[in-house]
Amino acid sequence: MDKKIAVIGGDGIGPEIISQAQRVLEKIASLYGHRFTYEEVEMGGCAVDRYQDPLPGEMLRRCLEADSVLMGAVGGPKWNGLPGDLRPEKGLLRLRGAMKVYSNNRPAKIWPQLAGASPLKEEIVSRGIDLMIVRELTGGLYFGEHTTKQEPEPQAVDVMSYHEYEIERICRIGFETARKRRGRLCSVDKSNVLDTSRLWKKIVHRISEEYPDVELTDMLVDNCAMQLVKDPSQFDVIVTENMFGDILSDEASMITGSIGMIPSSSLGDGTRGLYEPIHGSAPDIAGQDRANPIGTILSAAMMLRYSFNMAKEADAIERAVGAFLDDGYRTEDIMSEGMRQVGCSRCGELILERLE
Ligand code: NAD
């Protein structure tokens, strides 16, 4: 298969981690007979320095013309004092808007080799944790009307609104994702209180008739927050609205114990997606070959699985990461006693050697 990938190194550790992910993609291409071509995209602080614009039009065009976008991270203290439009994150927000991605998908997986890093008890972790949170990204409370008035007394109002089509399209991503995983979808809402949740529940059940191979359950958001720490092994895919997803996905990342290991995708209609690790540009360790590139390498694996329909290639990358950990290698952020510490590029090399 031929695929064009827009690659955004970005700032801080971004270029270091992205180049390891590209090496992995190249090896996959040669092992499985694909051809990946790359469009380099300058976005973030580096683009501000060069073009006085965090996402120049030409760079955006390259992203929109690609089959998918793979990104490292953007931002850093150097650009903190700049006015709003020149801030590196503005480039990322513009890119998400232009790509019309309305679904943010974050897996939370505990690698058995790193179980000790989880703040949860061993007896819970040993049951295995491997779930995905599909969060609605462009609607709900964060995008409703916000008003504050002072008279007759100070009052603030935030409006939570969902149209049927917004619920329908995110729920479809939930079902499609569950179909590519273990076939179980948990829809999280607050239908005992909120009208938006009651509409959500009605729609998700209607759509479920089109997905008889996916088992659908419902859970109230407060219960879900508890169940994530009590027994996260019960979940496969969770689909939920924007604010609930914001909170639950951070909770789920926390239980895995390592920010450097977690990938993410943002999807809209069609197959093109934006793939990036959940961490930032880590300016404190940038340029020192100390970053963990695994979150980015696993983001590349997600891109193969969800945008390019290359499941066995994605499995191969995940197996190679598992083998790297099995063999006792660790980057600094996940280092523990008795293990062998390696830098960013050596980590990429060792994963490459384990790819088959
Ligand atoms: P951060 O995620 O960059 O770093 C937090 C801590 O985790 C740091 O100690 C860092 O060294 C460590 N860390 C992060 N990723 C790591 C990795 N792959 N390997 C090893 N250690 C890693 O968060 P921050 O310090 O709050 O933000 C730094 C910059 O990144 C800010 O400018 C912020 O705006 C930006 N940011 C960008 C994105 C993005 O591009 N999507 C996301 C979050 C933050």
Side-chain angles (χ1 to χ4, degrees):
M1 228 184 258
D2 276 15
K3 293 286 176 193
K4 195 200 273 186
I5 303 167
V7 177
I8 304 172
D11 308 312
I13 60 170
E16 302 167 50
I17 54 181
I18 212 81
S19 64
Q20 301 312 316
Q22 267 184 276
R23 290 170 85 185
V24 166
L25 284 171
E26 274 312 280
K27 176 98 183 254
I28 285 286
S30 73
L31 287 174
Y32 290 84
H34 303 302
R35 197 166 70 97
F36 299 139
T37 48
Y38 306 95
E39 279 281 3
E40 298 294 328
V41 171
E42 290 166 278
M43 185 179 95
C46 58
V48 171
D49 286 350
R50 186 138 176 218
Y51 308 103
Q52 290 73 55
D53 183 346
L55 181 61
E58 163 61 17
M59 298 298 161
L60 175 60
R61 188 188 59 76
R62 290 182 193 177
C63 292
L64 296 179
E65 284 178 7
D67 293 303
S68 255
V69 181
L70 182 65
M71 180 182 132
V74 295
K78 180 178 175 195
W79 302 280
N80 276 352
L82 293 176
D85 268 4
L86 282 182
R87 293 184 65 109
E89 312 82 74
K90 203 57 182 228
L92 181 55
L93 290 178
R94 275 209 326 252
L95 178 62
R96 286 181 181 149
M99 288 180 72
K100 299 191 171 70
V101 286
Y102 50 78
S103 166
N104 183 252
N105 316 294
R106 261 198 209 183
K109 169 173 168 152
I110 292 214
W111 295 83
Q113 305 89 333
L114 303 178
S118 170
L120 298 185
K121 282 190 191 147
E122 200 191 322
E123 66 196 69
I124 297 174
V125 174
S126 64
R127 283 180 228 152
I129 301 172
D130 182 3
L131 61 98
M132 172 88 85
I133 299 198
V134 175
R135 164 191 171 193
E136 202 286 327
L137 203 57
T138 57
L141 206 49
Y142 297 172
F143 288 83
E145 198 183 334
H146 309 287
T147 46
T148 304
K149 59 181 181 184
Q150 298 304 331
E151 301 295 338
E153 57 174 342
Q155 183 194 12
V157 179
D158 299 295
V159 176
M160 181 162 181
S161 154
Y162 268 108
H163 289 276
E164 182 177 26
Y165 77 90
E166 292 174 296
I167 300 174
E168 198 173 313
R169 64 188 186 180
I170 188 74
C171 289
R172 279 188 199 286
I173 291 197
F175 282 107
E176 293 291 337
T177 307
R179 211 170 231 183
K180 289 183 175 148
R181 291 174 48 99
R182 301 191 299 279
R184 288 189 289 121
L185 180 66
C186 177
S187 168
V188 171
D189 64 47
K190 188 72 183 166
S191 55
N192 53 343
V193 179
L194 300 175
D195 269 20
T196 44
S197 281
R198 284 190 274 270
L199 182 63
W200 180 285
K201 199 167 172 178
K202 199 168 122 188
I203 292 170
V204 74
H205 279 269
R206 192 187 71 215
I207 297 172
S208 77
E209 288 166 18
E210 297 168 38
Y211 294 87
D213 51 323
V214 176
E215 180 199 331
L216 174 68
T217 52
D218 303 289
M219 193 176 280
L220 293 174
V221 62
D222 37 353
N223 186 24
C224 184
M226 284 192 288
Q227 295 300 328
L228 271 175
V229 288
K230 192 169 163 224
D231 181 17
S233 72
Q234 67 187 286
F235 297 108
D236 179 12
V237 180
I238 291 173
V239 65
T240 191
E241 67 88 40
N242 200 345
M243 184 182 60
F244 299 162
D246 188 6
I247 298 165
L248 294 176
S249 62
D250 268 10
E251 185 187 356
S253 309
M254 227 0 257
I255 63 178
T256 70
S258 178
I259 188 178
M261 301 284 298
I262 307 180
S264 79
S265 72
S266 299
L267 293 164
D269 291 334
T271 55
R272 189 184 57 210
L274 170 62
Y275 294 85
E276 54 178 319
I278 67 159
H279 59 73
S281 60
D284 51 332
I285 57 166
Q288 301 167 40
D289 197 35
R290 288 166 64 191
N292 182 349
I294 295 178
T296 317
I297 290 171
L298 294 174
S299 298
M302 277 186 94
M303 176 176 74
L304 300 184
R305 188 183 304 282
Y306 294 103
S307 284
F308 301 165
N309 222 358
M310 297 180 184
K312 61 179 189 315
E313 291 84 340
D315 288 344
I317 295 177
E318 288 167 7
R319 269 199 313 274
V321 169
F324 165 87
L325 297 172
D326 279 341
D327 292 343
Y329 294 107
R330 301 287 185 269
T331 46
E332 192 179 322
D333 57 315
I334 52 172
M335 184 59 191
S336 60
E337 217 185 310
M339 300 293 135
R340 280 181 281 184
Q341 188 172 318
V342 294
C344 181
S345 56
R346 182 75 183 129
C347 172
E349 227 163 71
L350 290 163
I351 290 172
L352 274 191
E353 286 170 12
R354 284 157 182 77
L355 259 182
E356 48 190 30

